[in-house]
Amino acid sequence: MARQLTPVSIRKQKGQGGFISPTIGRKFLIDNHFTGQVNSLEVYDVTGLRVELIKGSNLTGWSADFMPAGLYVIIAKTKEGQMNSQKVMVK
């Protein structure tokens, strides 16, 4: 079954300017600069399947304790509607 995707403009965060740290591990924290601005995190696996959606006004990060090792993309949405993405490696 194919699903139709809606194109969305997302800024990619690279290198030192990312909104999540660390980029390798099992616990990923939102950088202090972005704390309070992010109101949702969407986490996707390498197949494009959304594996987690976290909503709230006091988000601090994402715990991958129950996820298999691999590459994931985290998309952060701010209260203003801005979206940023960053790749992380779960080990």
Side-chain angles (χ1 to χ4, degrees):
M1 173 185 281
R3 66 179 190 188
Q4 187 172 355
L5 299 176
T6 305
V8 177
S9 175
I10 300 174
R11 272 188 11 218
K12 293 181 183 177
Q13 296 290 336
K14 297 180 182 176
Q16 298 279 340
F19 64 91
I20 292 281
S21 64
T23 57
I24 299 174
R26 291 216 159 260
K27 302 250 188 254
F28 303 95
L29 301 175
I30 297 173
D31 183 87
N32 288 338
H33 177 74
F34 293 96
T35 302
Q37 297 177 34
V38 175
N39 66 352
S40 73
L41 292 175
E42 294 182 26
V43 183
Y44 293 86
D45 66 13
V46 293
T47 67
L49 178 68
R50 185 172 72 188
V51 295
E52 194 151 357
L53 171 63
I54 307 165
K55 291 185 176 184
S57 58
N58 294 317
L59 295 179
T60 58
W62 175 56
S63 174
D65 286 339
F66 300 104
M67 295 294 171
L71 183 66
Y72 292 83
V73 175
I74 300 176
I75 298 176
K77 294 182 182 178
T78 67
K79 296 170 186 171
E80 294 80 30
Q82 183 180 13
M83 295 172 27
N84 294 295
S85 71
Q86 187 172 333
K87 296 174 193 165
V88 296
M89 178 68 72
V90 173
K91 283 186 127 184

